[in-house]
Amino acid sequence: MIRKFITLLAAACATIASPAFANGNIALESEIFVERITNTAGKPAVVLERPTSLIPGDRLVFVVSYKNTSPTPATDVVITNPIPAAVRFQETLDGSEQVSVDGGKNWARLENLRIALDDGRFRPASPADVTHIRWIILEDITNGDEGKLTFRGVVK
């Protein structure tokens, strides 16, 4: 099977996410939203807004949309997203991701990664250590098929 590696270049907390870049037959689009709590009729409500400005502690939602634009199925699709330096990764919605804590050299579930300490010991990796996130889509993506991948982060 042909393995398609698709890299999404994330905007480093720009007011609007940079357009996604993809190779092959999968089109990507990236959007960033800031999660705000509003008070509607005396009840708190969570809304997603396009950010016009960000401050440390703002909670962000990243949405990566993909679509097969080719007449042939895409197989073994890998979508990789660097975490912007100004963002601390939190979680994905579905938990199907792999992460890297070393700039994309090694990949695993977060609970299986460790960080080397100066004294030679290791500690468990935390969401704050994540530098990249990726999803491996095992099902064929046929012509016109599309989907969304979502993850959360916090502005440092």
Side-chain angles (χ1 to χ4, degrees):
M1 288 190 271
I2 298 172
R3 182 169 289 268
K4 294 182 183 270
F5 290 94
I6 302 164
T7 301
L8 169 68
L9 303 176
C13 289
T15 54
I16 298 177
S18 296
F21 296 95
N23 60 3
N25 301 321
I26 300 293
L28 294 176
E29 183 179 314
S30 175
E31 297 177 280
I32 300 174
F33 299 95
V34 63
E35 188 176 83
R36 304 260 190 236
I37 299 178
T38 63
N39 193 342
T40 305
K43 296 180 182 177
V46 176
V47 295
L48 297 179
E49 301 173 344
R50 297 213 182 266
T52 56
S53 64
L54 295 170
I55 59 171
D58 277 347
R59 295 171 10 149
L60 302 175
V61 176
F62 294 79
V63 179
V64 180
S65 301
Y66 63 88
K67 181 176 184 177
N68 184 350
T69 58
S70 166
T72 59
T75 59
D76 294 329
V77 173
V78 178
I79 298 175
T80 302
N81 198 124
I83 302 298
V87 174
R88 180 175 38 87
F89 172 76
Q90 280 192 310
E91 65 184 352
T92 65
L93 290 184
D94 67 0
S96 66
E97 77 286 349
Q98 293 181 334
V99 297
S100 175
V101 296
D102 59 7
K105 295 176 190 163
N106 296 291
W107 296 92
R109 302 276 306 144
L110 181 60
E111 61 269 13
N112 296 328
L113 293 171
R114 301 182 316 158
I115 302 294
L117 302 174
D118 292 338
D119 63 5
R121 293 183 302 147
F122 290 88
R123 67 165 174 81
S126 73
D129 298 313
V130 174
T131 62
H132 291 73
I133 181 172
R134 79 175 179 188
W135 294 267
I136 300 172
I137 302 172
L138 299 175
E139 302 85 25
D140 287 356
I141 303 172
T142 59
N143 175 267
D145 281 357
E146 56 190 313
K148 292 183 188 247
L149 304 165
T150 305
F151 67 98
R152 294 178 174 277
V154 174
V155 177
K156 293 179 184 177

Short mmCIF file of all heavy atoms in Angstrom, two decimals, residues 105-142:
data_model
loop_
_atom_site.label_atom_id
_atom_site.label_comp_id
_atom_site.label_asym_id
_atom_site.label_seq_id
_atom_site.Cartn_x
_atom_site.Cartn_y
_atom_site.Cartn_z
N LYS A 105 10.62 12.84 16.06
CA LYS A 105 11.53 11.71 15.82
C LYS A 105 10.91 10.38 16.25
O LYS A 105 11.06 9.37 15.58
CB LYS A 105 12.85 11.92 16.55
CG LYS A 105 13.64 13.10 16.03
CD LYS A 105 14.88 13.32 16.86
CE LYS A 105 15.53 14.64 16.48
NZ LYS A 105 16.47 15.09 17.48
N ASN A 106 10.25 10.38 17.40
CA ASN A 106 9.64 9.16 17.95
C ASN A 106 8.18 9.43 18.25
O ASN A 106 7.81 10.53 18.65
CB ASN A 106 10.37 8.75 19.24
CG ASN A 106 11.81 8.38 18.99
OD1 ASN A 106 12.08 7.37 18.37
ND2 ASN A 106 12.73 9.22 19.44
N TRP A 107 7.37 8.37 18.07
CA TRP A 107 5.91 8.51 18.22
C TRP A 107 5.36 7.40 19.10
O TRP A 107 5.79 6.26 19.02
CB TRP A 107 5.24 8.41 16.86
CG TRP A 107 5.62 9.51 15.94
CD1 TRP A 107 6.65 9.51 15.03
CD2 TRP A 107 5.02 10.79 15.84
NE1 TRP A 107 6.69 10.71 14.38
CE2 TRP A 107 5.70 11.52 14.86
CE3 TRP A 107 3.94 11.40 16.49
CZ2 TRP A 107 5.36 12.82 14.50
CZ3 TRP A 107 3.59 12.69 16.13
CH2 TRP A 107 4.30 13.38 15.14
N ALA A 108 4.38 7.75 19.93
CA ALA A 108 3.67 6.77 20.75
C ALA A 108 2.48 7.47 21.40
O ALA A 108 2.31 8.68 21.27
CB ALA A 108 4.60 6.20 21.83
N ARG A 109 1.69 6.70 22.10
CA ARG A 109 0.65 7.28 22.95
C ARG A 109 1.37 8.04 24.06
O ARG A 109 2.45 7.63 24.50
CB ARG A 109 -0.22 6.18 23.53
CG ARG A 109 -0.90 5.30 22.50
CD ARG A 109 -2.17 5.84 21.94
NE ARG A 109 -3.08 6.16 23.02
CZ ARG A 109 -3.91 7.20 22.98
NH1 ARG A 109 -3.97 7.97 21.94
NH2 ARG A 109 -4.70 7.46 23.99
N LEU A 110 0.81 9.14 24.51
CA LEU A 110 1.46 9.98 25.51
C LEU A 110 1.83 9.19 26.76
O LEU A 110 2.94 9.35 27.29
CB LEU A 110 0.56 11.17 25.88
CG LEU A 110 1.13 12.14 26.90
CD1 LEU A 110 2.43 12.76 26.39
CD2 LEU A 110 0.12 13.22 27.23
N GLU A 111 0.97 8.30 27.20
CA GLU A 111 1.24 7.55 28.43
C GLU A 111 2.43 6.59 28.28
O GLU A 111 2.94 6.08 29.27
CB GLU A 111 -0.01 6.79 28.91
CG GLU A 111 -0.55 5.78 27.94
CD GLU A 111 -1.60 6.33 26.97
OE1 GLU A 111 -1.77 7.56 26.85
OE2 GLU A 111 -2.24 5.50 26.32
N ASN A 112 2.88 6.35 27.06
CA ASN A 112 4.02 5.46 26.83
C ASN A 112 5.34 6.19 26.60
O ASN A 112 6.35 5.54 26.35
CB ASN A 112 3.73 4.55 25.63
CG ASN A 112 2.56 3.64 25.90
OD1 ASN A 112 2.31 3.22 27.02
ND2 ASN A 112 1.80 3.34 24.87
N LEU A 113 5.33 7.51 26.69
CA LEU A 113 6.55 8.28 26.45
C LEU A 113 7.16 8.77 27.76
O LEU A 113 6.43 9.03 28.73
CB LEU A 113 6.25 9.47 25.54
CG LEU A 113 5.86 9.12 24.12
CD1 LEU A 113 5.38 10.35 23.37
CD2 LEU A 113 7.03 8.49 23.39
N ARG A 114 8.49 8.89 27.76
CA ARG A 114 9.20 9.37 28.94
C ARG A 114 10.18 10.47 28.53
O ARG A 114 10.64 10.51 27.39
CB ARG A 114 9.97 8.24 29.61
CG ARG A 114 9.06 7.10 30.04
CD ARG A 114 9.75 5.98 30.75
NE ARG A 114 10.99 5.58 30.11
CZ ARG A 114 11.97 4.94 30.73
NH1 ARG A 114 11.86 4.62 31.99
NH2 ARG A 114 13.07 4.60 30.09
N ILE A 115 10.49 11.32 29.48
CA ILE A 115 11.41 12.43 29.28
C ILE A 115 12.65 12.16 30.13
O ILE A 115 12.55 11.89 31.32
CB ILE A 115 10.77 13.77 29.71
CG1 ILE A 115 9.50 14.04 28.93
CG2 ILE A 115 11.77 14.93 29.59
CD1 ILE A 115 9.69 14.26 27.46
N ALA A 116 13.83 12.25 29.50
CA ALA A 116 15.10 12.05 30.22
C ALA A 116 15.39 13.29 31.07
O ALA A 116 15.29 14.42 30.59
CB ALA A 116 16.23 11.80 29.24
N LEU A 117 15.78 13.05 32.30
CA LEU A 117 16.17 14.13 33.20
C LEU A 117 17.69 14.26 33.20
O LEU A 117 18.41 13.35 32.78
CB LEU A 117 15.66 13.85 34.61
CG LEU A 117 14.13 13.67 34.74
CD1 LEU A 117 13.75 13.25 36.14
CD2 LEU A 117 13.43 14.96 34.34
N ASP A 118 18.19 15.39 33.68
CA ASP A 118 19.63 15.65 33.69
C ASP A 118 20.41 14.63 34.52
O ASP A 118 21.58 14.37 34.24
CB ASP A 118 19.92 17.06 34.21
CG ASP A 118 19.44 18.13 33.24
OD1 ASP A 118 19.28 17.83 32.04
OD2 ASP A 118 19.23 19.27 33.69
N ASP A 119 19.78 14.05 35.53
CA ASP A 119 20.49 13.10 36.41
C ASP A 119 20.43 11.66 35.88
O ASP A 119 20.82 10.73 36.57
CB ASP A 119 19.93 13.17 37.82
CG ASP A 119 18.46 12.78 37.92
OD1 ASP A 119 17.87 12.34 36.90
OD2 ASP A 119 17.89 12.90 39.02
N GLY A 120 19.91 11.47 34.65
CA GLY A 120 19.85 10.14 34.06
C GLY A 120 18.56 9.40 34.32
O GLY A 120 18.33 8.33 33.75
N ARG A 121 17.73 9.91 35.20
CA ARG A 121 16.44 9.28 35.46
C ARG A 121 15.44 9.73 34.40
O ARG A 121 15.74 10.58 33.57
CB ARG A 121 15.93 9.65 36.86
CG ARG A 121 16.80 9.07 37.97
CD ARG A 121 16.25 9.38 39.35
NE ARG A 121 16.13 10.82 39.52
CZ ARG A 121 15.19 11.43 40.24
NH1 ARG A 121 14.28 10.73 40.86
NH2 ARG A 121 15.15 12.75 40.34
N PHE A 122 14.25 9.16 34.43
CA PHE A 122 13.20 9.50 33.50
C PHE A 122 11.93 9.86 34.26
O PHE A 122 11.71 9.37 35.37
CB PHE A 122 12.89 8.32 32.56
CG PHE A 122 14.00 8.04 31.59
CD1 PHE A 122 15.04 7.19 31.94
CD2 PHE A 122 14.00 8.61 30.34
CE1 PHE A 122 16.06 6.92 31.06
CE2 PHE A 122 15.01 8.34 29.43
CZ PHE A 122 16.05 7.50 29.79
N ARG A 123 11.12 10.68 33.64
CA ARG A 123 9.79 10.98 34.18
C ARG A 123 8.78 10.75 33.06
O ARG A 123 9.12 10.81 31.87
CB ARG A 123 9.71 12.41 34.69
CG ARG A 123 9.81 13.47 33.60
CD ARG A 123 9.36 14.84 34.12
NE ARG A 123 9.59 15.88 33.14
CZ ARG A 123 8.81 16.15 32.10
NH1 ARG A 123 7.71 15.42 31.88
NH2 ARG A 123 9.08 17.13 31.26
N PRO A 124 7.53 10.49 33.43
CA PRO A 124 6.51 10.33 32.40
C PRO A 124 6.34 11.64 31.61
O PRO A 124 6.40 12.73 32.19
CB PRO A 124 5.24 10.02 33.19
CG PRO A 124 5.71 9.58 34.53
CD PRO A 124 7.02 10.27 34.78
N ALA A 125 6.13 11.54 30.31
CA ALA A 125 5.85 12.72 29.50
C ALA A 125 4.47 13.26 29.87
O ALA A 125 3.58 12.50 30.24
CB ALA A 125 5.91 12.37 28.02
N SER A 126 4.33 14.56 29.76
CA SER A 126 3.05 15.21 30.05
C SER A 126 2.57 15.94 28.80
O SER A 126 3.34 16.13 27.85
CB SER A 126 3.21 16.19 31.21
OG SER A 126 3.92 17.34 30.77
N PRO A 127 1.32 16.38 28.78
CA PRO A 127 0.85 17.13 27.62
C PRO A 127 1.72 18.34 27.30
O PRO A 127 1.88 18.70 26.14
CB PRO A 127 -0.57 17.55 28.02
CG PRO A 127 -1.02 16.47 28.95
CD PRO A 127 0.24 16.11 29.74
N ALA A 128 2.30 18.96 28.29
CA ALA A 128 3.16 20.13 28.07
C ALA A 128 4.42 19.79 27.28
O ALA A 128 5.04 20.68 26.68
CB ALA A 128 3.54 20.76 29.40
N ASP A 129 4.81 18.51 27.23
CA ASP A 129 6.01 18.08 26.51
C ASP A 129 5.76 17.82 25.02
O ASP A 129 6.70 17.68 24.25
CB ASP A 129 6.57 16.79 27.13
CG ASP A 129 6.98 16.97 28.57
OD1 ASP A 129 7.68 17.95 28.87
OD2 ASP A 129 6.60 16.11 29.40
N VAL A 130 4.51 17.75 24.61
CA VAL A 130 4.16 17.34 23.24
C VAL A 130 4.61 18.41 22.24
O VAL A 130 4.27 19.59 22.39
CB VAL A 130 2.65 17.06 23.11
CG1 VAL A 130 2.26 16.80 21.66
CG2 VAL A 130 2.27 15.88 23.99
N THR A 131 5.36 17.99 21.22
CA THR A 131 5.80 18.88 20.15
C THR A 131 5.04 18.66 18.85
O THR A 131 4.95 19.57 18.03
CB THR A 131 7.31 18.70 19.86
OG1 THR A 131 7.53 17.34 19.42
CG2 THR A 131 8.15 18.99 21.09
N HIS A 132 4.52 17.46 18.65
CA HIS A 132 3.80 17.11 17.42
C HIS A 132 2.69 16.12 17.76
O HIS A 132 2.80 15.35 18.72
CB HIS A 132 4.72 16.43 16.40
CG HIS A 132 5.73 17.34 15.80
ND1 HIS A 132 6.82 17.80 16.50
CD2 HIS A 132 5.82 17.88 14.57
CE1 HIS A 132 7.55 18.58 15.73
NE2 HIS A 132 6.96 18.63 14.55
N ILE A 133 1.68 16.13 16.92
CA ILE A 133 0.58 15.18 17.05
C ILE A 133 0.33 14.59 15.67
O ILE A 133 0.51 15.27 14.66
CB ILE A 133 -0.68 15.89 17.61
CG1 ILE A 133 -1.84 14.92 17.77
CG2 ILE A 133 -1.07 17.06 16.75
CD1 ILE A 133 -3.03 15.54 18.48
N ARG A 134 -0.04 13.31 15.63
CA ARG A 134 -0.38 12.72 14.34
C ARG A 134 -1.49 11.70 14.51
O ARG A 134 -1.68 11.09 15.57
CB ARG A 134 0.84 12.09 13.67
CG ARG A 134 1.22 10.72 14.18
CD ARG A 134 2.35 10.14 13.36
NE ARG A 134 2.72 8.83 13.89
CZ ARG A 134 3.76 8.15 13.49
NH1 ARG A 134 4.56 8.63 12.56
NH2 ARG A 134 4.02 6.97 14.00
N TRP A 135 -2.21 11.54 13.41
CA TRP A 135 -3.27 10.55 13.32
C TRP A 135 -2.94 9.63 12.15
O TRP A 135 -2.55 10.10 11.08
CB TRP A 135 -4.62 11.20 13.07
CG TRP A 135 -5.13 12.06 14.17
CD1 TRP A 135 -5.96 11.69 15.19
CD2 TRP A 135 -4.89 13.45 14.35
NE1 TRP A 135 -6.24 12.77 15.99
CE2 TRP A 135 -5.60 13.87 15.50
CE3 TRP A 135 -4.14 14.42 13.65
CZ2 TRP A 135 -5.58 15.17 15.96
CZ3 TRP A 135 -4.12 15.72 14.12
CH2 TRP A 135 -4.83 16.08 15.26
N ILE A 136 -3.14 8.35 12.33
CA ILE A 136 -3.00 7.38 11.25
C ILE A 136 -4.39 6.88 10.93
O ILE A 136 -5.06 6.30 11.79
CB ILE A 136 -2.06 6.22 11.65
CG1 ILE A 136 -0.67 6.77 11.98
CG2 ILE A 136 -2.00 5.17 10.54
CD1 ILE A 136 0.28 5.75 12.57
N ILE A 137 -4.83 7.13 9.71
CA ILE A 137 -6.17 6.74 9.30
C ILE A 137 -6.04 5.44 8.51
O ILE A 137 -5.53 5.44 7.38
CB ILE A 137 -6.84 7.85 8.47
CG1 ILE A 137 -6.89 9.13 9.32
CG2 ILE A 137 -8.24 7.42 8.02
CD1 ILE A 137 -7.34 10.36 8.58
N LEU A 138 -6.45 4.34 9.11
CA LEU A 138 -6.27 3.01 8.52
C LEU A 138 -7.30 2.68 7.45
O LEU A 138 -7.02 1.90 6.55
CB LEU A 138 -6.28 1.95 9.60
CG LEU A 138 -5.16 2.09 10.65
CD1 LEU A 138 -5.33 1.04 11.75
CD2 LEU A 138 -3.80 1.98 10.00
N GLU A 139 -8.48 3.27 7.55
CA GLU A 139 -9.51 2.99 6.56
C GLU A 139 -9.19 3.76 5.27
O GLU A 139 -8.67 4.86 5.31
CB GLU A 139 -10.90 3.44 7.06
CG GLU A 139 -11.33 2.81 8.35
CD GLU A 139 -10.79 3.54 9.58
OE1 GLU A 139 -10.48 4.75 9.48
OE2 GLU A 139 -10.64 2.91 10.61
N ASP A 140 -9.54 3.17 4.13
CA ASP A 140 -9.39 3.89 2.87
C ASP A 140 -10.27 5.13 2.89
O ASP A 140 -11.39 5.11 3.41
CB ASP A 140 -9.81 3.01 1.69
CG ASP A 140 -8.80 1.92 1.40
OD1 ASP A 140 -7.74 1.88 2.07
OD2 ASP A 140 -9.07 1.10 0.50
N ILE A 141 -9.74 6.20 2.32
CA ILE A 141 -10.51 7.43 2.16
C ILE A 141 -10.83 7.53 0.68
O ILE A 141 -9.95 7.80 -0.13
CB ILE A 141 -9.72 8.65 2.66
CG1 ILE A 141 -9.30 8.47 4.12
CG2 ILE A 141 -10.56 9.92 2.50
CD1 ILE A 141 -8.37 9.55 4.62
N THR A 142 -12.08 7.26 0.31
CA THR A 142 -12.46 7.25 -1.10
C THR A 142 -12.77 8.66 -1.58
O THR A 142 -12.86 9.60 -0.79
CB THR A 142 -13.66 6.32 -1.34
OG1 THR A 142 -14.75 6.78 -0.55
CG2 THR A 142 -13.35 4.89 -0.96
#
